[in-house]
Amino acid sequence: MEDVERHIAAGAYRDDDNDTYWIEHPAHGSIGVLQYEDLEDGAPLFDLLSTTSE
């Protein structure tokens, strides 16, 4: 997880065609990631990745 946080902070998952956000919960912290893809394509896509409960 630290590698991903470091890459996101450095802008690795953000450019003109892609954008990435952490999904934060007030009590649980980071619970997932939302990534928009193909923003300049006219038909953007998104990926939603979430954690599992323990």
Side-chain angles (χ1 to χ4, degrees):
M1 181 90 124
E2 290 177 13
D3 286 342
V4 174
E5 290 174 347
R6 192 168 41 253
H7 284 104
I8 289 175
Y13 302 102
R14 298 183 111 169
D15 57 32
D16 291 340
D17 205 35
N18 301 285
D19 212 350
T20 304
Y21 299 92
W22 283 112
I23 301 169
E24 299 283 340
H25 185 279
H28 302 290
S30 296
I31 60 169
V33 174
L34 175 63
Q35 183 176 29
Y36 294 105
E37 301 171 341
D38 302 327
L39 293 172
E40 296 183 336
D41 184 29
L45 304 170
F46 71 92
D47 284 332
L48 177 60
L49 306 168
S50 63
T51 60
T52 58
S53 61
E54 295 180 23

